Amino acid sequence: MNIVARVSDEIETPQVSMEIDPRLVPVLETVRRRNPAEPEFHEAVERVLRTIGPVIDKRPEYLEAKLVERICEPERQVIFRVPWIDDEGRVQVNRGYRVEFNGALGPFKGGLRFDPSVNSSIVKFLGFEQVFKNALTGLPLGGGKGGSDFDPKGRSENEIMRFCQSFMTELWRHIGEYTDVPAGDIGVGEREIGYLFGQYRRITNRYESGALTGKGLGWGGARVRREATGYGTAYFAQEMLRAKGSSICDRTVTVSGSGNVAIYAIEKVQQLGGTVIGCSDSGGYVHDPDGIDLPLLKQVKEVDRARLDRYVQERPGARHVAGGRVWELAAEVALPCATQNELDEEDARKLVENGALVVAEGANMPCTAGAIGTLRAGGVLFGPGKAANAGGVATSALEMQQNASRDSWTFDHTEARLVEIMRDIHHSCYEMAEQAGVPGDYIVGANNAGFVRVADAMLAFGVV
Ligand code: GLU
């Protein structure tokens, strides 16, 4: 049979008990009771609690110090009104959030998401994930997340600027280079960070570059930051294959999404010799058997800010499937890079049937719990987002390093650091999974490795 079957044969399906440790059941119950009607947050906590049995067994002092309880409770949550005036002169009111989840390892760090789906549950789930992700990078970063239910779609440049200014008029008092360092996420890119930074500077009267990351290159931004999440995801998938004695080179790859993460995951997969045959947006997906034409995709998505059907107008060999899901396509590597819960059990079944070898999450929690179960049962290697997409926040930490030393690194130097960090993250997850007796289980590896780093720092600080 072909190389796909050969590599599949080598993959041992990780055997791990997904039963929650009975000692952690009351913690989950408390989280559910304290945070009613927050399903995404409950799910993110449950997924971690189900997998940290190995370190809890080894380190009973964590239980005595109530570290699991403490890690599940955000240090601080800020919810605020964001009033602004639209182009018609009407007053609009949105809600702003910043959840400073855990600062044991460094200033709170994590993106801002502007999307109508944003609520307390989404911000808390993202903040909780961020704590472990940031710990895995090995860099001095706490975890947090924020955003607003503001929908930037269809808004003018001026409206976006006014919204960002109003948002920062409250947020500034909660952030700072040693306190909390926001960045971008869905709906917040370099343009929005510019407006946010401009208002922060104006209010504080300080050119404090380290207070925000994802800045433009001309005003304190870092090279590779824009590409970092997508590049890092491709590198992580490559490491997963390398650990199996294989490579992403010559593999077929599908990517969901066509935003920042997806575009640069595609770019790096192509540079590593893989062929990306499909990508998607909320309107459907594109199948391009010859491999995605990246300059055309960038033109459509980054310059024209148009829908994906525009891509096939310029590319005769490609087809657009309106309303379809890109996971229908047979590919050896799948990189979900759009948003949470976008890949369900049915999608996972198709991936398994079509011989997928690796799924690595470029987005945060894009695979449902059911999908992960199906992928694991089908022998597919699974790289969870908190490890696979950590390249973005890691490069934010590199931006903070450059800001602190008023330096500016070259693209190559920055990318070399990113590669090193992604390899280290892979190594930590891989080793931890081995130690836990579940080789190849990157979920157990990532959750335990991240947890230990945060817990050990908290233990050292006493009950604070
Ligand atoms: N929003 C990104 C993430 O989910 C990046 C956060 C950052 O750079 O602070 O990790």
Side-chain angles (χ1 to χ4, degrees):
M1 258 251 224
N2 62 16
I3 188 160
V4 177
R6 285 208 306 276
V7 177
S8 285
D9 287 346
E10 282 173 38
I11 293 175
E12 302 150 36
T13 307
Q15 297 297 318
V16 60
S17 158
M18 293 301 274
E19 283 304 306
I20 186 163
D21 184 309
R23 292 166 295 181
L24 300 180
V25 171
V27 184
L28 187 58
E29 278 165 3
T30 304
V31 167
R32 289 205 178 111
R33 183 178 45 76
R34 268 206 191 124
N35 306 276
E38 297 189 357
E40 293 84 2
F41 179 48
H42 300 169
E43 173 156 12
V45 171
E46 184 170 348
R47 288 191 191 191
V48 169
L49 298 197
R50 277 184 183 279
T51 52
I52 54 170
V55 284
I56 297 295
D57 281 340
K58 241 191 240 158
R59 305 280 304 273
E61 67 269 32
Y62 288 162
L63 286 179
E64 273 154 49
K66 293 265 190 288
L67 276 164
V68 187
E69 284 88 336
R70 283 154 66 188
I71 285 178
C72 289
E73 182 64 20
E75 283 189 37
R76 185 180 299 122
Q77 306 180 56
V78 189
I79 301 183
F80 51 99
R81 181 172 67 207
V82 189
W84 56 284
I85 296 177
D86 69 18
D87 285 347
E88 273 72 52
R90 287 183 305 232
V91 176
Q92 301 279 347
V93 182
N94 285 97
R95 180 173 276 191
Y97 299 86
R98 187 71 184 168
V99 175
E100 298 177 336
F101 222 109
N102 194 301
L105 293 176
F108 304 106
K109 182 84 194 87
L112 298 171
R113 177 175 291 191
F114 290 170
D115 189 81
S117 67
V118 167
N119 56 34
S120 285
S121 176
I122 299 283
V123 178
K124 268 190 234 167
F125 120 65
L126 290 165
F128 185 74
E129 288 283 294
Q130 199 83 43
V131 172
F132 300 95
K133 182 194 310 197
N134 294 3
L136 280 174
T137 66
L139 299 163
L141 299 169
K145 202 86 184 189
S148 173
D149 56 3
F150 170 71
D151 187 359
K153 282 202 194 77
R155 289 295 175 191
S156 71
E157 188 83 24
N158 277 332
E159 289 177 318
I160 288 182
M161 180 182 74
R162 285 198 294 274
F163 177 80
C164 289
Q165 289 175 340
S166 180
F167 187 84
M168 186 53 86
T169 300
E170 172 59 33
L171 189 70
W172 75 274
R173 67 186 86 244
H174 308 290
I175 67 172
E177 71 177 308
Y178 294 109
T179 318
D180 182 356
V181 184
D185 196 83
I186 294 172
V188 179
E190 193 179 308
R191 172 180 66 175
E192 290 73 19
I193 295 292
Y195 295 139
L196 292 164
F197 185 71
Q199 185 75 347
Y200 182 80
R201 192 186 72 82
R202 189 176 180 207
I203 294 176
T204 60
N205 193 29
R206 282 164 63 87
Y207 204 105
E208 192 187 327
S209 305
L212 283 163
T213 63
K215 300 180 293 296
L217 269 184
W219 40 280
R223 291 186 178 78
V224 195
R225 178 63 192 88
R226 181 188 303 170
E227 296 85 354
T229 311
Y231 276 20
T233 304
Y235 281 126
F236 196 85
Q238 168 75 325
E239 287 303 305
M240 291 169 80
L241 282 159
R242 269 170 44 147
K244 289 283 169 198
S246 185
S247 162
I248 206 164
C249 187
D250 295 328
R251 300 268 179 217
T252 48
V253 181
T254 44
V255 176
S256 64
S258 42
N260 208 37
V261 181
I263 287 175
Y264 293 98
I266 295 172
E267 182 162 289
K268 189 48 67 183
V269 166
Q270 292 183 342
Q271 289 171 5
L272 293 171
T275 306
V276 182
I277 56 163
C279 65
S280 64
D281 65 11
S282 51
Y285 73 86
V286 155
H287 180 207
D288 194 340
D290 295 334
I292 294 288
D293 177 340
L294 195 61
L296 175 59
L297 182 67
K298 284 186 180 173
Q299 176 67 37
V300 171
K301 282 290 164 186
E302 290 184 336
V303 184
D304 304 343
R305 293 184 187 246
R307 312 294 304 164
L308 260 186
D309 46 5
R310 170 88 60 88
Y311 176 93
V312 295
Q313 291 164 13
E314 315 273 328
R315 184 92 170 150
R319 70 191 168 102
H320 180 252
V321 182
R325 292 161 84 91
V326 72
W327 316 122
E328 290 163 14
L329 300 174
E332 294 156 299
V333 178
L335 306 177
C337 295
T339 192
Q340 67 269 1
N341 293 329
E342 52 154 312
L343 195 160
D344 63 19
E345 220 167 316
E346 181 57 29
D347 299 319
R349 216 172 38 72
K350 284 193 192 127
L351 288 170
V352 172
E353 274 168 20
N354 286 329
L357 304 171
V358 170
V359 172
E361 296 184 320
N364 291 313
M365 212 167 80
C367 296
T368 63
I372 296 172
T374 304
L375 294 170
R376 289 151 71 109
V380 178
L381 280 176
F382 179 76
K386 57 172 81 73
N389 73 36
V393 75
T395 308
S396 278
L398 303 182
E399 183 171 334
M400 291 160 74
Q401 285 182 28
Q402 290 166 77
N403 293 152
S405 57
R406 304 194 188 281
D407 200 354
S408 174
W409 304 349
T410 63
F411 195 97
D412 288 352
H413 175 69
T414 318
E415 192 181 0
R417 288 284 292 119
L418 171 64
V419 173
E420 203 178 353
I421 292 166
M422 294 313 295
R423 285 200 178 134
D424 287 350
I425 295 173
H426 177 272
H427 183 76
S428 304
C429 298
Y430 191 87
E431 289 283 300
M432 186 55 100
E434 297 249 311
Q435 278 172 33
V438 284
D441 190 325
Y442 290 91
I443 302 180
V444 169
N447 287 347
N448 285 277
F451 183 85
V452 169
R453 286 185 187 163
V454 181
D456 282 347
M458 289 175 77
L459 214 48
F461 297 161
V463 181
V464 285

